[in-house]
Amino acid sequence: ADFDQILEPIRRAVVPTGTILYSEGESANAVYTVRWGLVKLVKQSPDGAPRIVRLLGTGAAVGLEALKEGVYWHSAVAMRETALCRVPFGVLDRLQTGNAQMTDRLILQWARFMEYADRWITDLSTGPVKLRVQHLIALLLEITDSTTGEIEMPHVDDLAAILGTSAESVSRAMAELKRAKVLNRVAPRTYRCDLETLSRLTGLHSPSADFARIA
């Protein structure tokens, strides 16, 4: 009964594409967990242009960075229809009290984010655009928990903002993957990916849904 009372303030919602969960610099009062869908974290660069610095999918916690200073470091925006749980800081504090499993999960999330930041730099920010697009597709398959090889691709402008290149360069790389049948269109902006070929092109293992979960 005590646990049910603690969980009562946790709200679940399904939000449409483009929903802003919070904005960069805003005072923080909650963490969000992603049940399914995709959220982008956006930061303003010195020249004022928005840059996508992280993508978060099924099982990820959004806004953990704000636990330390009470301010959100980025803007969080739903990239597609997304199901979320909103966990107020007070509830999170109470859940951690005497609950070693919750604390362990939060530590695991932090560790995953550190690993994720390294991958973002090495796989998505360096090398030819063609290879970076391939790495991004593999990453999207992983964090959206895709077990079928199907993927809903973000808008080309978002892909360019993630990779730090032009929309034209991304479009050329995507077109080449479609011609090679690595990506096969099954619906508007949705593709079935040839996982074995993608793995061979990127030199990575086949994408797997092992992203850390706390939800």
Side-chain angles (χ1 to χ4, degrees), residues 118-215:
D118 288 345
R119 289 176 61 186
W120 196 276
I121 293 171
T122 57
D123 293 346
L124 305 184
S125 299
T126 60
V129 172
K130 175 182 174 180
L131 183 59
R132 284 188 275 157
V133 169
Q134 293 166 6
H135 281 149
L136 178 55
I137 291 169
L139 187 60
L140 284 168
L141 286 165
E142 179 181 330
I143 66 177
T144 56
D145 206 12
S146 175
T147 57
T148 63
E150 286 194 5
I151 181 173
E152 181 183 339
M153 293 298 295
H155 191 277
V156 67
D157 290 337
D158 280 331
L159 296 176
I162 293 167
L163 299 174
T165 187
S166 67
E168 292 77 11
S169 296
V170 172
S171 295
R172 286 195 295 270
M174 289 286 293
E176 188 170 338
L177 290 173
K178 294 172 191 175
R179 287 195 298 270
K181 302 299 182 182
V182 178
L183 293 177
N184 298 282
R185 188 175 183 272
V186 295
R189 295 214 347 240
T190 301
Y191 298 87
R192 181 172 291 111
C193 183
D194 182 337
L195 299 180
E196 290 186 5
T197 301
L198 181 66
S199 177
R200 186 172 64 252
L201 289 171
T202 60
L204 302 171
H205 295 298
S206 294
S208 60
D210 61 354
F211 196 77
R213 290 168 170 77
I214 69 169

